[in-house]
């Protein structure tokens, strides 16, 4: 049985706890601690906030203040730049006798600059926030419009997240802000206006209606308490108002050319041979000071290129060359079955340090030399054709496109869409016998050679009375060849059908009996997947050569021309 005195004591304890909780909330100590905490350079700091939620209203807006004006700025906790200031404006000066002079002001009548701009369109269009254009251009940030995120592309080609824009908040990495203000000789000012509302009165909370201003270092704030007198259903409130200034980095750390100190490029050592005891001999790839070893061939496992094939939107592996967009490129000897070679000096001169580390992890003791193709091109300055099937495929694919455009006025193989171009860039003889790589390459080759067959063009080469029931790219190619007296097309049609069956039974669906039949026909059970795909790609090269040859012969012409 519960005693009435116990119930009363419980209610008193409960109310006391509620009063204490509300007092702590209105004191806003946690908020002040968050604002005064020293952020790390790589931290995405909050520079804009509009958080209105029931009992609180948090506002945060950042400005850039001239370094020579920081004392004036910290003399008063009130904001120096409101969310609706900092836009272009003009000021008119009277010079007497009816003469006026108009001056354009980039940021209006204020000396402070916004880093985030709060856009408003008078309720006729939805407003939004955006990051200062100057800041974006300063760091050459890429804007992912779908996610509303900003990225910096480093010298090595990596993307680093610099800013996140959300409807109610904006976060920007501190390093980039402080680099920006370093060159501008300014400080970052994070202004805050945080309000907490309670349904209890100041009297109930035992809080005095007062106001206090404080300053510690580059942080100044004021907090005041009052009563809303029931307005909006609330009683007591507190308001934390102030600003936190963060100084810039030194100009030599700005990363901006002309101001930043040039950093010496780092280099690592690569294996260049073995001594008489079988120990590895390594040497730095620093192109300055390696003398005659600049053209020392360094060897790597073939898998070193898998990273670049997997990220084909960023990298391109071509005939004897590797590109990262337009940032960097390096000549490579990719004319071997089991390895890739590069000159020691090129590794240091052309590769960013991060990429050197990647290549070092695949570095092997040299066995044999560079390929004859690479040797002739690099050292003899002679033209040399490759015999690598993947490189021939690349060359013939574009040759077919140009031949068809010149002679037919349109393609036999439709160009890949932007979203499918990675399939073409991934084509290669895989470095290992991984089933995943094999399946992906079969899928890619099918996309390029079968799914891209120009069915409309092919059926135009067939007399109208023979078109009934001819469906699909392969069938139309076969019919176009037979109707135009083309010989020797049968092996290529058979190859395309085998490839399509392999894709359907293996890459596109669960592997079952149909896949085993296709695998047996291709000899997968007798040799590794690498060799099988090389054979498939060789047939693909022969198919491209066949189309080029027949197009040049004039075998394919629309029926109206005959």
């Amino acid at each position: 049985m519960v005693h009435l005195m116990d119930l009363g004591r419980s209610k008193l304890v409960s109310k006391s706890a509620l009063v204490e909780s509300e007092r702590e909330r209105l004191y806003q100590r946690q908020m002040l601690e968050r604002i005064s905490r020293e952020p790390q350079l790589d931290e995405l700091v909050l520079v804009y906030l509009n958080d209105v939620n029931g009992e609180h209203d948090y506002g945060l807006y950042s400005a850039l203040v001239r370094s020579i004006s920081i004392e004036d700025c910290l003399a008063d906790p009130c904001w120096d730049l409101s969310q609706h200031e900092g836009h272009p404006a003009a000021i008119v000066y009277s010079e007497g006798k009816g003469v006026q002079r108009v001056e354009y002001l980039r940021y209006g009548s204020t000396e402070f600059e916004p880093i985030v701009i709060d856009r408003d369109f008078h309720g006729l269009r939805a407003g939004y926030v955006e990051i200062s254009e100057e800041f974006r251009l300063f760091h050459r940030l890429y804007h992912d419009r779908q996610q509303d995120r900003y990225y910096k592309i480093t010298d090595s080609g990596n993307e680093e997240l610099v800013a996140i824009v959300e409807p109610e908040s904006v976060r920007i990495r501190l390093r980039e802000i402080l680099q920006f203000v370093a060159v501008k000789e300014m400080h970052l000012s994070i202004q805050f206006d945080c309000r907490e509302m309670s349904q209890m009165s100041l009297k109930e909370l035992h809080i005095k209606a007062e106001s206090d201003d404080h300053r510690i270092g580059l942080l100044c704030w004021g907090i005041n308490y009052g009563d809303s007198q029931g307005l909006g259903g609330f009683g007591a409130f507190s308001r934390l108002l102030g600003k936190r200034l963060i100084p810039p980095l030194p100009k030599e750390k700005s990363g901006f050319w002309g101001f930043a100190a040039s950093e010496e490029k780092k280099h690592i050592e690569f294996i260049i041979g073995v001594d008489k005891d079988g120990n590895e001999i390594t040497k730095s790839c620093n192109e300055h000071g390696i003398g005659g070893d600049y053209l020392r061939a360094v060897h790597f496992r073939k898998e070193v290129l898998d990273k670049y094939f997997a990220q084909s939107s960023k990298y391109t592996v071509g005939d004897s060359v590797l590109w990262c967009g337009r940032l960097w490129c390096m000549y490579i000897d990719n004319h071997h079955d089991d390895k890739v070679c590069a000159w020691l000096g090129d590794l240091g001169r052309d590769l960013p340090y991060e990429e050197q580390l990647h290549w070092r992890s695949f570095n092997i003791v040299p066995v044999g030399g560079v390929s004859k193709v690479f040797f002739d091109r690099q050292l003899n300055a002679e033209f040399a054709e490759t015999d690598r099937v993947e490189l021939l495929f690349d060359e013939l694919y574009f040759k077919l496109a140009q031949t068809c455009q010149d002679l037919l006025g349109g393609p036999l193989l439709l160009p890949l869409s932007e979203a499918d171009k990675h399939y073409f860039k991934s084509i290669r003889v895989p470095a290992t016998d991984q089933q995943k790589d094999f399946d992906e390459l079969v899928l890619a080759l099918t996309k390029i050679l079968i799914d891209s067959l120009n069915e409309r063009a092919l059926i135009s080469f067939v007399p109208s009375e023979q078109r009934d029931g001819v469906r699909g790219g392969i069938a139309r190619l076969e019919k176009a060849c037979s109707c135009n007296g083309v010989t020797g097309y049968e092996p290529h049609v058979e190859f395309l059908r085998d490839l399509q069956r392999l894709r359907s039974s293996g890459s596109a669906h669960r592997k079952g009996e149909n896949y085993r039949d296709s695998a047996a026909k291709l000899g997968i059970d007798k040799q590794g997947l690498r060799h099988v795909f090389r054979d498939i790609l060789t047939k693909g090269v022969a198919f491209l050569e066949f189309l080029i040859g027949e197009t040049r012969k004039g075998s394919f012409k629309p029926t109206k021309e005959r």
Side-chain angles (χ1 to χ4, degrees):
M1 184 174 181
V2 180
H3 199 280
L4 290 178
M5 186 177 293
D6 293 334
L7 287 174
R9 186 180 297 111
S10 175
K11 289 180 180 179
L12 286 173
V13 170
S14 175
K15 180 159 185 188
S16 174
L18 176 62
V19 168
E20 186 60 30
S21 173
E22 289 293 276
R23 280 166 57 88
E24 282 300 310
R25 192 164 61 81
L26 264 64
Y27 285 151
Q28 300 201 53
R29 293 191 182 105
Q30 289 185 349
M31 178 62 72
L32 192 58
E33 287 176 5
R34 285 171 56 189
I35 292 168
S36 59
R37 182 183 63 83
E38 198 65 37
Q40 301 298 309
L41 275 179
D42 288 333
E43 182 179 337
L44 291 167
V45 298
L46 197 63
V47 295
Y48 174 90
L49 179 66
N50 183 22
D51 180 8
V52 180
N53 182 13
E55 296 181 330
H56 71 248
D57 183 345
Y58 300 150
L60 189 148
Y61 193 67
S62 296
L64 306 183
V65 53
R66 292 182 300 172
S67 296
I68 59 174
S69 303
I70 60 172
E71 288 302 321
D72 292 338
C73 177
L74 291 169
D76 184 349
C78 292
W79 285 16
D80 301 298
L81 183 72
S82 76
Q83 292 173 241
H84 303 294
E85 292 181 305
H87 299 281
I91 186 170
V92 179
Y93 297 94
S94 175
E95 297 187 338
K97 298 181 180 180
V99 178
Q100 292 183 333
R101 178 171 60 87
V102 181
E103 181 182 344
Y104 172 78
L105 301 174
R106 170 67 181 85
Y107 298 105
S109 59
T110 177
E111 64 179 275
F112 300 89
E113 299 180 16
I115 192 167
V116 173
I117 301 167
D118 204 337
R119 306 295 306 278
D120 178 76
F121 304 98
H122 315 292
L124 301 178
R125 290 278 188 174
Y128 57 88
V129 292
E130 63 182 26
I131 296 174
S132 159
E133 180 185 48
E134 184 183 3
F135 176 81
R136 291 183 277 119
L137 294 177
F138 181 91
H139 288 294
R140 302 186 69 179
L141 300 182
Y142 168 75
H143 185 197
D144 180 344
R145 297 180 186 278
Q146 288 187 327
Q147 300 294 325
D148 219 352
R149 297 186 173 203
Y150 292 84
Y151 295 89
K152 175 186 279 189
I153 300 176
T154 67
D155 291 340
S156 60
N158 296 319
E159 293 183 356
E160 296 181 356
L161 180 63
V162 170
I164 300 174
V165 178
E166 295 176 327
E168 308 301 335
S169 67
V170 177
R171 288 178 169 83
I172 302 178
R173 195 162 67 171
L174 185 60
R175 180 191 303 275
E176 278 66 33
I177 298 177
L178 299 188
Q179 289 175 327
F180 180 58
V181 296
V183 172
K184 293 173 69 69
E185 298 183 353
M186 303 182 88
H187 279 54
L188 170 67
S189 174
I190 301 177
Q191 307 170 132
F192 50 91
D193 187 351
C194 303
R195 309 180 191 213
E196 295 282 0
M197 285 80 74
S198 173
Q199 294 183 356
M200 303 178 74
S201 67
L202 288 177
K203 184 176 180 181
E204 290 175 296
L205 296 173
H206 310 293
I207 297 176
K208 293 181 180 180
E210 58 184 5
S211 177
D212 291 317
D213 289 345
H214 307 269
R215 176 179 172 184
I216 300 177
L218 295 179
L219 171 67
C220 72
W221 76 95
I223 186 163
N224 69 290
Y225 307 93
D227 260 321
S228 302
Q229 298 179 347
L231 294 176
F234 294 105
F237 70 86
S238 68
R239 183 185 185 190
L240 178 65
L241 179 70
K243 62 197 77 165
R244 160 81 185 280
L245 270 59
I246 302 179
L249 288 172
K251 285 186 179 180
E252 58 270 20
K253 296 291 185 181
S254 67
F256 200 72
W257 186 87
F259 293 93
S262 57
E263 296 183 4
E264 186 176 350
K265 183 178 179 180
K266 294 189 290 185
H267 299 84
I268 62 174
E269 295 187 345
F270 287 95
I271 303 168
I272 61 171
V274 292
D275 62 20
K276 63 181 181 179
D277 297 322
N279 299 314
E280 294 177 351
I281 301 172
T282 62
K283 189 158 188 176
S284 169
C285 64
N286 189 339
E287 70 272 23
H288 304 295
I290 61 176
D293 281 326
Y294 187 103
L295 293 180
R296 169 84 68 164
V298 186
H299 294 220
F300 305 89
R301 295 199 306 276
K302 191 81 172 181
E303 297 96 303
V304 70
L305 297 179
D306 285 350
K307 163 187 173 178
Y308 306 110
F309 284 115
Q311 301 179 58
S312 58
S313 62
K314 181 188 298 186
Y315 303 104
T316 300
V317 181
D319 186 352
S320 295
V321 67
L322 168 66
W323 289 281
C324 175
R326 291 191 296 273
L327 277 172
W328 56 263
C329 72
M330 182 178 72
Y331 289 112
I332 58 173
D333 181 8
N334 55 343
H335 301 272
H336 304 269
D337 286 335
D338 56 354
K339 68 181 180 181
V340 176
C341 301
W343 303 127
L344 179 64
D346 284 355
L347 289 163
R349 183 193 66 183
D350 300 330
L351 285 186
Y353 179 70
E354 295 86 346
E355 295 302 315
Q356 293 177 28
L357 294 173
H358 168 74
W359 282 71
R360 183 63 175 86
S361 65
F362 293 93
N363 194 191
I364 56 176
V365 173
V367 177
V370 298
S371 68
K372 185 177 185 306
V373 171
F374 193 68
F375 185 91
D376 287 344
R377 290 175 178 175
Q378 290 280 300
L379 300 182
N380 294 335
E382 295 178 355
F383 174 79
E385 288 190 353
T386 181
D387 58 355
R388 296 296 302 174
V389 64
E390 61 266 43
L391 301 177
L392 287 171
F393 183 88
D394 182 279
E395 177 186 332
L396 291 170
Y397 177 83
F398 289 108
K399 185 180 290 186
L400 173 63
Q402 189 60 55
T403 302
C404 290
Q405 187 61 42
D406 293 342
L407 301 179
L408 299 177
L412 288 177
L413 290 178
L414 294 169
L416 294 168
S417 68
E418 200 62 39
D420 281 339
K421 284 184 178 178
H422 66 93
Y423 287 113
F424 180 80
K425 295 179 74 174
S426 71
I427 292 296
R428 67 197 186 280
V429 176
T432 65
D433 286 326
Q434 293 293 322
Q435 185 73 53
K436 176 178 178 293
D437 292 341
F438 180 80
D439 288 347
E440 289 175 350
L441 287 166
V442 167
L443 176 62
L445 197 59
T446 308
K447 287 265 189 183
I448 296 165
L449 296 183
I450 299 176
D451 295 351
S452 297
L453 283 169
N454 190 343
E455 296 186 22
R456 179 175 294 181
L458 290 170
I459 202 64
S460 73
F461 306 143
V462 178
S464 57
E465 66 273 12
Q466 298 185 45
R467 296 178 183 178
D468 289 347
V470 182
R471 300 286 184 270
I474 300 176
R476 291 187 174 190
L477 173 66
E478 182 179 30
K479 195 70 171 177
C481 289
S482 65
C483 289
N484 287 273
V486 177
T487 59
Y489 65 86
E490 294 85 358
H492 302 295
V493 170
E494 183 181 7
F495 157 66
L496 294 179
R497 287 188 171 134
D498 287 344
L499 180 61
Q500 188 175 52
R501 278 192 291 270
L502 185 63
R503 188 270 297 267
S504 298
S505 61
S507 301
H509 299 95
R510 289 170 58 87
K511 293 175 175 61
E513 186 173 341
N514 290 337
Y515 176 77
R516 288 190 290 273
D517 291 342
S518 298
K521 186 173 182 179
L522 292 167
I524 291 177
D525 54 339
K526 298 178 182 178
Q527 54 184 334
L529 294 174
R530 295 178 63 218
H531 296 288
V532 171
F533 192 76
R534 182 187 293 110
D535 292 343
I536 291 173
L537 199 53
T538 300
K539 292 178 180 178
V541 166
F543 173 58
L544 293 176
E545 289 176 330
F546 163 76
L547 291 180
I548 293 170
E550 294 303 323
T551 302
R552 286 176 174 172
K553 289 180 189 177
S555 300
F556 300 118
K557 290 183 179 179
T559 54
K560 64 182 180 180
E561 295 183 14
R562 297 202 303 269

